[in-house]
Amino acid sequence: ARGSAPLRIADFQEVLGEPTVALAKLRQLCFSGIPFDGGLRCLCWKILLNYLPLEKALWSSLLKKQRDLYSQFLKEMIIQPGIAKANLGVSREDVTLEDHPLNPSPDSRWNTYFKDNEVLLQIDKDVRRLYPDMAFFQRPTDYPCLLILDPQNEFETLRRRVEQTTLKSQTVARNRSGVTNVSSPLKSTPSSLSEYEVLPNGCEAHWEVVERILFIYAKLNPGIAYVQGMNEIVGPLYYTFATDPNSEWKEHAEADTFFCFTNLMAEIRDNFIKSLDDSQCGITYKMEKVYSTLKEKDMELYLKLQEQNIKPQFFAFRWLTLLLSQEFLLPDVIRIWDSLFADDKRFDFLLLVCCAMLTLIRDQLLEGDFTLNMRLLQDYPISDVHLILKKAKELQDSK
């Protein structure tokens, strides 16, 4: 790859300037890291994640179609249930209708609503904690979803829905003698809602956008729904699109993130499905592959880990499932993802990155005991991701 930044930017612009993008060339460029300038990364990720086709002439019609479709999802899955609940809740006669909160029928709208709430509460807990060392996710977005925040709307937003559900479940704690102790849910736990500034009406924080993306994904993919950790996959995607220097793209960060996340999950969802753990596409197979690659590249280190009974599940499960998003700071995760998305064998390179991470701390691992080594692997010490990627590339070339 040509070294200096202006030359690299020119290389990208040349490939992206063609009427049909040459995918092999683009992959090669992206593999060595994508410049942030001019929204290049956002554009390249959209192509690498199969959201944008290679023919540029198709881009604007496809984007319009997908973004309209996403608005439709919002209307059907967030706005309408909210309105229905608001309407059903106002009049007394709703109890005599077929559909009411105690209706045991699985087809009951209320039944679906309560089931969705369980998923929503889990998502809510996870997205509020996204990258706590960065203020970004707590900040208001420049492009709040007008469909949802329209002051004309009487229905509840997801945030209100969560607050109402948690209020109901936390406020009344009955003790054994039947006396009701009403505790303030806002002061109950340090991780409660009070920690976060509540934004004024008409604003929403970036984490609320991520919450919506995950909720809609869970509704559209009931087979997998929401699994903890998906928030760590959607976070870097959304951050990248929501900080795009090109405001026309930035404005649609929510819809674009949703479709790129859906495409990415289609490739890695097997890691999240417990029943597939031991199949060839499941996570156990991939973890074993990290060890068999290590055995090939560094027998001494492999034997040491075996002897200490350090199983790949202890650390590689998180590394692989979350695409290393928990091991490094966000800008470094994004740089690693440039290479992972550019990998035409789709995440084979990730196995080599994990292997490189092990060989780069081999001296410490060879000297350490079980406890020390587990600490090293759970809290990985090297922060220079360029060093790790360089090592992984060497492993790839030595195959």
Side-chain angles (χ1 to χ4, degrees), residues 24-303:
K25 263 192 197 161
L26 184 70
R27 284 189 192 285
Q28 208 179 347
L29 280 175
C30 294
F31 188 81
S32 313
I34 308 169
F36 174 73
D37 312 66
L40 284 174
R41 175 175 280 126
C42 308
L43 185 53
C44 292
W45 278 19
K46 286 172 180 133
I47 297 169
L48 294 173
L49 291 171
N50 303 317
Y51 178 45
L52 285 179
L54 298 176
E55 291 77 35
K56 279 175 69 174
L58 303 173
W59 288 2
S60 59
S61 61
L62 174 117
L63 288 170
K64 182 175 177 348
K65 189 176 121 237
Q66 296 299 84
R67 290 161 179 174
D68 289 349
L69 177 61
Y70 188 74
S71 296
Q72 203 45 47
F73 293 155
L74 291 178
K75 286 176 192 155
E76 286 171 19
M77 289 170 221
I78 294 177
I79 294 180
Q80 282 168 13
I83 290 176
K85 180 169 182 277
N87 293 347
L88 281 167
V90 280
S91 61
R92 275 299 307 123
E93 66 220 314
D94 62 349
V95 179
T96 56
L97 300 172
E98 290 84 85
D99 202 11
H100 55 84
L102 301 177
N103 181 352
S105 154
D107 302 329
S108 153
R109 272 190 311 188
W110 281 98
N111 197 17
T112 311
Y113 183 86
F114 293 134
K115 262 213 176 66
D116 287 349
N117 275 2
E118 289 169 30
V119 176
L120 181 58
L121 288 179
Q122 180 61 60
I123 293 174
D124 188 75
K125 212 162 70 194
D126 294 344
V127 294
R128 284 172 185 269
R129 291 193 296 239
L130 259 180
Y131 291 96
D133 49 340
M134 282 176 63
F136 172 80
F137 286 96
Q138 305 303 328
R139 284 204 189 115
T141 159
D142 297 339
Y143 300 101
C145 179
L146 299 177
L147 257 182
I148 286 181
L149 295 179
D150 178 353
Q152 299 301 307
N153 282 338
E154 282 301 307
F155 75 94
E156 48 179 13
T157 59
L158 287 185
R159 181 173 69 187
R160 283 254 310 279
R161 188 164 159 178
V162 167
E163 283 163 6
Q164 288 176 0
T165 311
T166 29
L167 274 168
K168 286 191 181 78
S169 60
Q170 286 180 335
T171 314
V172 180
R174 285 182 178 279
N175 69 16
R176 295 184 59 183
S177 60
V179 181
T180 304
N181 160 31
V182 178
S183 61
S184 158
L186 295 181
K187 296 198 176 66
S188 53
T189 58
S191 66
S192 75
L193 308 169
S194 60
E195 242 183 63
Y196 302 104
E197 239 179 288
V198 174
L199 296 171
N201 277 347
C203 292
E204 56 179 351
H206 288 292
W207 67 262
E208 294 183 68
V209 183
V210 175
E211 175 166 82
R212 231 180 357 251
I213 292 169
L214 286 165
F215 182 71
I216 288 182
Y217 179 82
K219 290 280 288 170
L220 289 170
N221 296 274
I224 180 172
Y226 172 74
V227 181
Q228 220 172 354
M230 287 181 184
N231 54 314
E232 306 294 348
I233 300 285
V234 86
L237 281 177
Y238 174 72
Y239 174 81
T240 301
F241 294 165
T243 54
D244 190 324
N246 177 342
S247 59
E248 275 170 62
W249 289 92
K250 186 177 173 174
E251 189 180 341
H252 297 286
E254 180 176 350
D256 293 349
T257 302
F258 172 79
F259 289 108
C260 287
F261 171 68
T262 301
N263 290 357
L264 179 55
M265 281 305 298
E267 298 187 41
I268 61 170
R269 61 180 284 169
D270 295 348
N271 296 344
F272 287 89
I273 300 176
K274 220 175 163 40
S275 58
L276 290 178
D277 277 0
D278 298 319
S279 72
Q280 245 198 339
C281 51
I283 189 71
T284 310
Y285 176 77
K286 289 173 189 142
M287 290 190 294
E288 295 300 343
K289 196 117 190 324
V290 172
Y291 264 24
S292 60
T293 311
L294 180 67
K295 185 179 180 179
E296 229 173 87
K297 306 285 181 190
D298 191 338
M299 180 60 101
E300 188 187 1
L301 180 56
Y302 169 77
L303 289 172

